[in-house]
């Protein structure tokens, strides 16, 4: 398949890494290569170490393609069922998506809270900058941590996030040093179901629920189009 690489005078030629062939192998066997392994590369005495490192590199145990790639670069995570992808999103009261972030499936929900909130842009009916601060935020126990609450206080956003049992026990164990319990409004928390309903609406699109798209930017476009269709229908 193609002409072999030419050898320099007094040395052995270095065969360039077949990127397309690697993508085919990634589709058939998506397991990352062992740590420390690099794509096949043979270099002669005339080739320097820097040139070999540019053609054959391994970062964090996953092969990095020249244009970006690998399982981690395409938002493919590890799970018992294989590769998975997670969609982190925010939704308004009518179950319509306001912002979304795509990560590998094993990524924790709380780590993407700030990126999701920072992407909210709601155009105003008149002139002016888009609105970026919601009236209130409701989230489940996965987002119950100091960093999330500090972020919401800094932006002056009211929130309803239930406290985890272990966090409440540790706070009571510290006595007065543990501080006051966070406020919690049961009636406002009942409205959190709009997020689950928004996710269910996205899952009605087969391309979103199954992710046949290999590249992450293509899948992001698929999810965005599905969210736009939901907005147009409502």
């Amino acid at each position: 398949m193609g002409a072999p690489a030419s050898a320099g005078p007094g040395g052995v030629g270095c065969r360039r890494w077949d990127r397309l062939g690697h993508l085919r192998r990634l589709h058939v066997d998506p397991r990352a290569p062992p740590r420390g392994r690099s794509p096949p590369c043979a270099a002669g005495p005339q080739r320097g170490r820097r040139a070999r490192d540019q053609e054959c590199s391994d970062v964090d145990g996953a092969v990095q393609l020249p244009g970006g790639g690998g399982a981690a670069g395409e938002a493919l995570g590890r799970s018992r069922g294989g590769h998975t992808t997670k969609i982190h999103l925010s939704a308004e009261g009518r179950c319509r998506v306001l912002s979304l972030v795509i990560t590998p499936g094993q990524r924790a929900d709380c780590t993407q809270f700030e990126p999701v909130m920072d992407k909210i842009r709601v155009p105003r009916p008149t002139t002016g900058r888009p609105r970026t601060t919601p009236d209130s935020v409701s989230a489940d126990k996965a987002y119950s941590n100091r960093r999330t609450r500090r972020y919401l206080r800094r932006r002056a956003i009211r929130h309803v996030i239930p406290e985890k049992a272990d966090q409440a026990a540790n706070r009571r164990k510290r006595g007065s040093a543990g501080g006051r319990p966070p406020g919690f409004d049961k009636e406002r928390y009942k409205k959190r179901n709009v997020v689950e309903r928004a996710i269910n609406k996205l899952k009605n699109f087969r391309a979103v629920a199954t992710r046949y798209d290999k590249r992450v930017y293509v899948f992001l476009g698929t999810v965005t189009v599905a969210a736009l269709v939901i907005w147009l229908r409502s």
Side-chain angles (χ1 to χ4, degrees), residues 56-123:
C56 310
S57 62
D58 188 305
V59 180
D60 295 334
V63 176
Q64 302 297 319
L65 299 178
E74 300 300 339
L76 293 174
R78 298 288 182 176
S79 68
R80 292 185 178 182
H83 284 166
T84 56
T85 300
K86 184 177 291 186
I87 303 175
H88 309 262
L89 59 87
S90 63
E92 47 96 48
R94 298 179 63 183
C95 307
R96 297 177 295 192
V97 178
L98 295 177
S99 61
L100 58 92
V101 174
I102 296 177
T103 64
Q106 80 278 5
R107 191 68 58 85
D109 295 344
C110 60
T111 60
Q112 303 303 313
F113 181 80
E114 296 181 18
V116 170
M117 293 293 296
D118 292 340
K119 286 180 176 292
I120 295 179
R121 296 289 187 276
V122 180

Side-chain angles (χ1 to χ4, degrees), residues 13-230:
C14 178
R15 192 179 299 274
R16 286 188 174 275
W17 181 25
D18 185 9
R19 178 181 178 184
L20 184 60
H22 172 72
L23 290 178
R24 294 197 191 99
R25 293 193 298 272
L26 181 63
H27 179 72
V28 176
D29 186 9
R31 294 176 298 177
R35 185 176 295 275
R37 292 284 182 87
S38 297
C41 181
Q46 80 282 3
R47 299 189 60 82
R49 183 175 181 179
R50 179 177 300 178
R52 296 197 303 267
D53 292 344
Q54 290 177 354
E55 293 183 5
C56 310
S57 62
D58 188 305
V59 180
D60 295 334
V63 176
Q64 302 297 319
L65 299 178
E74 300 300 339
L76 293 174
R78 298 288 182 176
S79 68
R80 292 185 178 182
H83 284 166
T84 56
T85 300
K86 184 177 291 186
I87 303 175
H88 309 262
L89 59 87
S90 63
E92 47 96 48
R94 298 179 63 183
C95 307
R96 297 177 295 192
V97 178
L98 295 177
S99 61
L100 58 92
V101 174
I102 296 177
T103 64
Q106 80 278 5
R107 191 68 58 85
D109 295 344
C110 60
T111 60
Q112 303 303 313
F113 181 80
E114 296 181 18
V116 170
M117 293 293 296
D118 292 340
K119 286 180 176 292
I120 295 179
R121 296 289 187 276
V122 180
R124 299 182 184 273
T126 57
T127 59
R129 295 182 178 180
R131 183 177 178 182
T132 60
T133 304
D135 294 333
S136 63
V137 173
S138 299
D140 57 12
K141 292 184 179 181
Y143 300 93
S144 179
N145 54 73
R146 294 182 179 178
R147 180 174 180 176
T148 299
R149 299 181 190 276
R150 189 183 307 113
Y151 172 81
L152 293 172
R153 284 196 302 268
R154 186 173 66 251
R155 296 189 59 183
I157 301 175
R158 296 188 305 167
H159 62 276
V160 181
I161 303 176
E163 190 178 19
K164 294 182 180 180
D166 58 340
Q167 294 177 354
N170 293 334
R171 176 177 50 78
R172 289 192 295 266
K173 187 184 300 182
R174 297 179 60 187
S176 59
R180 295 178 299 176
F184 181 76
D185 189 345
K186 292 184 179 180
E187 295 301 324
R188 288 173 53 196
Y189 186 70
K190 291 179 181 179
K191 299 180 180 180
R192 195 193 64 84
N193 63 81
V194 298
V195 179
E196 308 296 339
R197 290 156 57 192
I199 294 175
N200 289 336
K201 286 187 176 183
L202 285 177
K203 287 183 178 180
N204 289 333
F205 297 85
R206 182 179 300 178
V208 175
T210 56
R211 186 186 168 171
Y212 291 122
D213 302 316
K214 179 182 295 185
R215 312 301 299 214
V216 63
Y217 66 88
V218 179
F219 182 64
L220 177 60
T222 301
V223 180
T224 304
V225 170
L228 291 176
V229 171
I230 294 174

